[in-house]
Amino acid sequence: MPTLLEDEALQFVRDLIRIETVNTGVAATIGDGETRAARWVQERLAEVGIASELVESRPGRGSLIARVPGSDPDAGALLVHAHLDVVPVEEKDWTHPPFGADVEDGYLYGRGAVDMKNYAGTILAVARHFAREGIVPRRDLVFAFLADEESGGVWGAGWLVENRPDLFAGVTEALSEVGGFSVPLADEPGDDRRAYLVATSEKGVAWSTLRARGHAAHGSRPTDDNAVVRLAQAVAAVGAHRFPVVRTPALQRFLDVFGAARGLAFTDESLADDLESLGFVSSLVGATTRNTATPTVLDAGDKTNIIPAEAAARLDIRILPGQDDALREGLRELVGDDIDIREGRWWSATEAPVDAPIIGVLQDAISVDDPDGVVVPYLLPASTDNKHFAKLGIHGYGFVPLRVPRDFDVFAQFHAADERIPVDALHFSARVTERILRTA
């Protein structure tokens, strides 16, 4: 039978899914869902005597912070954070109501089931468990339930770091998404050993605009000074380019562990093929081997018979740790001096030690339930709110523990229709997270 901790974790996740907190990225359409969810969490904490502070960066954009004192005043505090907002849904693509939190055939369905109301509900349940049982963790724990992560965290973690850094006083490390889920470590039949990935680094994210200028003219009189053609050549060059492989510490540790388990060399020559042999894991790790710049939006003239004087393209850029300048230089070489590059948002990559003591804590907590499970560092090809907390010197780790079936791709659930999570994985998450937060 599930324990009270496990029961509450599941129930809280379901309750949070039913509070619609869709973040469209457009302020006028977002509403007050995040504040309602934060206030609901605040009420659950208050029931067991845990005080918290609800902070709104703007009306309806609420985040909640609570601090639970630890037994070792000399230990740095641990931040445990989850975002309360979710991405929009196309209901016609779902077979279950996206905000219904239905449970069917052992799976919980709903927007946020994996990204990331599962962790919000779990850490809420753990905090209440500590209060009920009189458990004092080793370190101060700062629980943060945050707004706006799905639009970059500007009005959530980013705003708090800039305006309320006092809430994170003494924090040295953080736990949050994206990691902790199990993937097959070995590929031999009958060998069910699992790796639990921990994101010790995250790629940086940047948006830049390429802009070409030329001579405006009538479409019937072609000119060599055509901004659309010049831009198209630059976009084609960026789209076709592959930046060189960079073996970051997180990537190398992943390759070492999986190479030993599967007999793969992961040499520079075999890297692509060896990664491909890992199945669905390859799409996650393959994107961490190099910087990327992807053209996503084109903007030029609006009349077919007019050659416009200007054309622009927006790029989504993902940057490896320490590669900001190298990427800028490489991009300039690709597009040439005739193209103006204007930087927009630019968040550098985060990088935490791959051999920090907290990795051992994660391993010990996993081993109780899965003695053969191995915690393996990797580099997340996306970014989370850890990029904001890094400005305060906080080392962020992505680890939401989930033991899932061998063929269940957790990462593929992010932003997907019929987003779902196994119920027994949620129970596992509650048990392991409790051990982590008690002993870290």
Side-chain angles (χ1 to χ4, degrees), residues 394-408:
I394 298 171
H395 285 149
Y397 293 89
F399 199 80
V400 177
L402 295 169
R403 183 176 61 195
V404 296
R406 184 181 182 88
D407 59 351
F408 187 81

Side-chain angles (χ1 to χ4, degrees), residues 15-39:
D15 290 343
L16 285 168
I17 287 172
R18 290 169 179 147
I19 302 173
E20 295 190 29
T21 56
V22 172
N23 185 350
T24 62
V26 180
T29 63
I30 291 176
D32 65 348
E34 290 159 319
T35 289
R36 286 189 290 109
R39 199 174 304 283

Side-chain angles (χ1 to χ4, degrees), residues 296-324:
T296 55
V297 178
L298 298 175
D299 183 22
D302 57 5
K303 282 183 67 70
T304 305
N305 64 343
I306 296 177
I307 300 172
E310 186 172 284
R314 279 180 266 168
L315 306 180
D316 179 273
I317 299 171
R318 305 295 166 136
I319 317 137
L320 293 170
Q323 289 286 303
D324 299 66

Side-chain angles (χ1 to χ4, degrees), residues 305-348:
N305 64 343
I306 296 177
I307 300 172
E310 186 172 284
R314 279 180 266 168
L315 306 180
D316 179 273
I317 299 171
R318 305 295 166 136
I319 317 137
L320 293 170
Q323 289 286 303
D324 299 66
D325 290 341
L327 189 141
R328 288 184 175 107
E329 293 169 5
L331 193 59
R332 168 52 64 199
E333 292 177 3
L334 277 174
V335 303
D337 293 334
D338 289 341
I339 300 293
D340 176 59
I341 303 176
R342 183 167 301 175
E343 292 182 4
R345 288 182 177 177
W346 192 290
W347 289 301
S348 296

Side-chain angles (χ1 to χ4, degrees), residues 406-440:
R406 184 181 182 88
D407 59 351
F408 187 81
D409 183 355
V410 173
F411 197 68
Q413 298 300 312
F414 282 68
H415 301 186
D418 275 343
E419 182 181 345
R420 63 194 182 278
I421 191 169
V423 169
D424 60 2
L426 275 175
H427 291 161
F428 174 90
S429 189
R431 295 192 301 271
V432 176
T433 299
E434 191 274 341
R435 292 184 203 114
I436 293 169
L437 300 189
R438 176 164 37 88
T439 61

